[in-house]
């Protein structure tokens, strides 16, 4: 077990020279106890998009507790696949290539020899992370996806469990524990529980995080989320932001922990590679939840690799809102005439005098994404905008907020609430969210009609609400004039907003 002071959790960090050193593709390989994974990100960015992602189950940490060495079969698999990864990275012209190794490699007696071989194959240095450095980067991954995260991050690997207490995105305490499915395998439940509880007894601050959120990270815990989604026919199969109450999470863990490999192998939602280890992952989560007593469990798709990327950014970039950063980046690269986000936000401001800061933020993000489907066939734009927005790798939103953005995009392209395609998003929203999405979507449709998609005209146009009537004000210079389509789209807005149709002047 490692110490739990926050100072240790905050080191090491890249030198100032390293921060933001690359502007092109960045590749990160994570060598874990159970698998190795290569992720190539489009660039160093507040909300990086993965352009390539490949995982191989090697089982390097299998039998480590008994032998003290990395498993020979795992070494062979790692060697073969690291050569593949190195060749791919070279072909992609990646500007920065980082390899991180975690629990199994740092603990094994033959770890140094393995590292030397991987460095020879890959042609780059392997950084063997200490337990505290691993915990810190995993926590930064959660913070990258949830900037104001408060509660506990738990990153479960094959051979270790990292726990970090977060307070409004700041690391307060951290610990790494010699727990993991590969270490607990083949133990009776009573013995496994005793081992887990003895380790958790050494984490006094875990109970101090009661009421906060528990953010599970790691493939085994994500597999639990996928299984729960399938069992409950959740309409959106995206891990990031999938939320359970503490009771729901404990019930899930209780059921899965009691299932044997034969039963799990018959469930299509369970990957074959997780059949042996999933019950132990569930048992571990249940014991952590029992100690922390979180208010909710929110799964994170971001972890160590994304935390490493976040750590390379300068402080100003780290402070950006990842949702707005990603949405604006999409708009700049895909918009017909640039990004309309700020202009659409200002154009629709008069319609909303009772929104919260969070609701305004979502309206702003929706504005950035408002021109996302212009390349599609007109008959399919609404549905394509809905599906694409629903499934984009956006951060710092839960599933209901993701559905809100998707429904807004659907309505912006003229979609109808009664359409079958809209049903999945509507299941995830409150009535207030649904109504706001329809008003915003129709207002965006009107605004883009006013300006033809050009920011300059929209900047000089405005909406107003006077005496219950919604009015459109066009630029004084005559650069935009009224038309039949504009009239129809104002009428469509008034229908969902209420009140009366005003003037276009």
């Amino acid at each position: 077990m490692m110490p739990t002071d926050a100072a240790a959790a905050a080191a090491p960090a890249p030198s100032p020279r390293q921060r933001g050193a690359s502007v092109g593709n960045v590749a990160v390989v994570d060598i874990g106890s159970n698998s190795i994974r290569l992720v190539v990100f489009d660039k160093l960015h507040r909300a990086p998009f993965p352009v390539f992602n490949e995982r191989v189950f090697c089982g390097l940490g299998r039998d480590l507790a008994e032998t003290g060495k990395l498993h020979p079969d795992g070494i062979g698999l790692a060697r073969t696949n690291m050569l593949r990864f190195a060749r791919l990275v070279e072909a992609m012209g990646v500007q920065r290539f980082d390899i991180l190794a975690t629990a199994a490699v740092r603990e094994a007696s033959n770890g140094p020899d393995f590292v030397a071989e991987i460095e020879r194959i890959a042609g780059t240095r392997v950084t063997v992370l200490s337990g505290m450095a691993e915990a810190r980067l995993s926590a930064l991954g959660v913070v990258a996806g949830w900037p104001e995260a408060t509660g506990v991050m738990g990153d479960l690997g094959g051979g270790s469990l990292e726990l970090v207490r977060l307070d409004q995105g700041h690391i307060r305490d951290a610990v790494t524990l010699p727990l993991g499915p590969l270490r607990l395998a083949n133990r009776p439940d009573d013995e496994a529980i005793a081992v887990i509880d003895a380790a958790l007894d050494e984490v006094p601050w875990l109970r101090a995080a009661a009421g906060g959120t528990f953010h599970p990270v790691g493939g085994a815990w994500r597999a639990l989320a996928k299984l729960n989604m399938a069992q409950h026919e959740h309409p959106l199969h995206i891990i990031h932001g999938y939320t359970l109450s503490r009771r729901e999470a404990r019930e899930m863990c209780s059921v899965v922990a009691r299932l044997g490999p034969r039963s799990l192998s018959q469930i299509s939602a369970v990957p074959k590679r997780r059949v042996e280890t999933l019950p132990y992952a569930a048992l571990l989560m249940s014991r952590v939840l029992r100690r922390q007593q979180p208010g909710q469990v929110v799964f994170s798709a971001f972890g160590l690799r994304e935390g490493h990327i976040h750590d390379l950014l300068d402080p100003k970039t780290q402070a950006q809102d990842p949702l707005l950063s990603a949405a604006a980046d999409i708009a700049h690269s895909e918009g017909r005439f640039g990004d309309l986000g700020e202009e659409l936000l200002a154009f629709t401001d008069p319609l909303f005098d009772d929104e919260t800061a969070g609701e305004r933020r979502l309206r702003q993000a929706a504005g950035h994404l408002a021109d996302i489907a212009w390349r599609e066939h007109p008959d399919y734009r609404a549905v394509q905008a809905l599906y694409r927005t629903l499934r984009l790798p956006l951060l710092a939103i839960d599933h209901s907020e993701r559905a809100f953005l998707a429904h807004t995009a659907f309505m912006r392209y003229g979609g109808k609430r009664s359409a079958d395609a809209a049903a999945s998003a509507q299941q995830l929203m409150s009535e207030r969210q649904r109504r706001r999405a329809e008003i915003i979507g129709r207002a965006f449709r009107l605004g883009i009609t006013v300006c033809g998609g050009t920011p300059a005209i929209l900047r000089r146009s405005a909406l107003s609400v006077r005496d219950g009537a919604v009015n459109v004000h066009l630029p004084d210079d005559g650069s935009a004039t009224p038309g039949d389509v504009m009239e129809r789209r104002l009428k469509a807005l008034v229908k969902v907003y209420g009140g009366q149709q005003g003037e276009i002047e």
Side-chain angles (χ1 to χ4, degrees), residues 29 31-32 35-36 56-60 70-86 105 114 117-118 121:
V29 170
I31 302 176
S35 65
I36 65 173
V56 180
F57 285 95
C58 296
L60 283 167
L70 300 175
H71 198 280
D73 292 343
I75 291 175
L77 282 170
R79 183 189 303 119
T80 298
N81 286 281
M82 277 305 307
L83 179 61
R84 166 177 164 75
F85 289 170
V105 175
F114 173 77
E117 185 171 12
I118 295 302
I121 291 170

Side-chain angles (χ1 to χ4, degrees), residues 54 148 156:
E54 184 169 303
E148 297 182 358
L156 179 62

Side-chain angles (χ1 to χ4, degrees), residues 366 382 385-387 389-390 400-419 421-426 429-430 433-442:
L386 184 147
Y387 286 153
T389 305
L390 195 62
S400 68
E401 292 167 331
R402 184 180 292 275
F404 168 83
L405 292 176
H407 196 56
T408 300
F410 180 67
M411 301 304 289
R412 171 266 181 270
Y413 280 103
K416 296 182 178 179
R417 187 200 311 176
S418 59
S424 59
Q426 290 189 45
M429 290 185 290
S430 67
Q433 286 177 310
R434 182 199 59 74
R435 184 171 185 274
R436 279 179 52 82
E438 292 174 1
I439 294 171
I440 296 168
R442 294 301 192 228

Side-chain angles (χ1 to χ4, degrees), residues 227-285:
L227 175 57
N228 191 262
M229 288 177 182
Q231 293 294 306
H232 291 87
E233 298 182 338
H234 189 71
L236 183 60
H237 282 217
I238 290 177
I239 296 296
H240 196 76
Y242 184 59
T243 303
L244 298 174
S245 67
R246 181 174 72 245
R247 179 185 58 78
E248 290 170 331
R250 291 193 65 176
E251 288 176 354
M252 170 189 70
C253 292
S254 178
V255 170
V256 176
R258 292 197 301 267
L259 295 177
R262 180 176 298 179
S263 298
L264 285 170
S265 65
Q266 295 173 6
I267 302 174
S268 60
V270 177
K272 291 182 180 179
R273 295 277 189 174
R274 301 288 183 192
V275 165
E276 297 290 339
T277 58
L278 204 58
Y280 296 102
L283 188 62
L284 268 164
M285 183 182 287

Side-chain angles (χ1 to χ4, degrees), residues 126-431:
V126 175
T127 299
V128 180
L129 297 171
S130 68
M132 295 303 284
E134 182 180 353
R136 174 180 174 273
L137 290 182
S138 294
L140 286 181
V142 169
V143 171
W146 300 100
E148 297 182 358
T150 296
V152 173
M153 182 286 308
D155 184 4
L156 179 62
S160 68
L161 170 64
E162 281 68 48
L163 296 171
V164 177
R165 184 165 71 93
L166 296 168
D167 178 13
Q168 294 294 306
H170 298 286
I171 295 174
R172 298 306 184 198
D173 297 283
V175 65
T176 181
L177 304 172
L179 300 174
L182 293 180
R183 294 183 188 270
L184 297 172
N186 302 318
R187 292 178 184 264
D189 282 357
D190 289 349
E191 183 180 335
I193 289 172
V195 170
I196 295 167
D197 286 350
L200 294 179
D201 283 342
E202 302 299 317
V203 190
W205 50 260
L206 194 54
R207 295 187 188 276
T213 297
F214 180 60
H215 289 283
V217 174
W221 279 348
R222 290 176 189 136
L224 285 176
K226 290 178 182 178
L227 175 57
N228 191 262
M229 288 177 182
Q231 293 294 306
H232 291 87
E233 298 182 338
H234 189 71
L236 183 60
H237 282 217
I238 290 177
I239 296 296
H240 196 76
Y242 184 59
T243 303
L244 298 174
S245 67
R246 181 174 72 245
R247 179 185 58 78
E248 290 170 331
R250 291 193 65 176
E251 288 176 354
M252 170 189 70
C253 292
S254 178
V255 170
V256 176
R258 292 197 301 267
L259 295 177
R262 180 176 298 179
S263 298
L264 285 170
S265 65
Q266 295 173 6
I267 302 174
S268 60
V270 177
K272 291 182 180 179
R273 295 277 189 174
R274 301 288 183 192
V275 165
E276 297 290 339
T277 58
L278 204 58
Y280 296 102
L283 188 62
L284 268 164
M285 183 182 287
S286 71
R287 305 311 290 181
V288 172
L289 296 178
R290 185 170 178 267
R291 294 299 179 97
Q292 184 200 347
Q293 296 291 306
Q296 61 181 352
V297 175
V298 180
F299 288 85
S300 173
F302 270 28
L304 184 143
R305 293 172 298 276
E306 294 79 12
H308 175 66
I309 294 294
H310 189 74
D311 202 32
L312 297 176
L313 301 174
D314 60 81
K316 183 178 179 181
T317 305
Q318 288 179 340
Q320 293 174 358
D321 184 316
L323 171 64
L324 299 181
S325 180
D329 197 48
I330 292 169
H332 282 298
S333 63
E334 299 187 23
R336 287 173 293 178
F337 305 107
D339 182 9
L340 292 170
E342 298 303 323
E343 288 78 10
L344 285 171
L345 181 69
F347 183 75
T348 55
D349 271 343
L351 301 177
F352 301 99
D353 57 5
D354 65 340
E355 67 182 353
T356 65
E359 289 173 334
R360 179 178 171 80
R361 170 179 176 263
L362 289 176
R363 179 161 61 89
Q364 184 176 357
H368 289 305
L369 300 173
D371 213 20
I372 198 171
W374 66 270
R375 286 188 175 91
E376 308 295 340
H377 187 284
D379 292 349
Y380 298 99
R381 282 178 188 155
V383 172
Q384 290 293 88
L386 184 147
Y387 286 153
R388 188 171 177 216
T389 305
L390 195 62
R391 297 163 183 171
L392 278 170
L394 300 173
L395 304 175
I397 50 173
D398 62 23
H399 282 199
S400 68
E401 292 167 331
R402 184 180 292 275
F404 168 83
L405 292 176
H407 196 56
T408 300
F410 180 67
M411 301 304 289
R412 171 266 181 270
Y413 280 103
K416 296 182 178 179
R417 187 200 311 176
S418 59
D420 291 342
S424 59
Q426 290 189 45
Q427 288 179 50
L428 297 168
M429 290 185 290
S430 67
E431 178 58 25

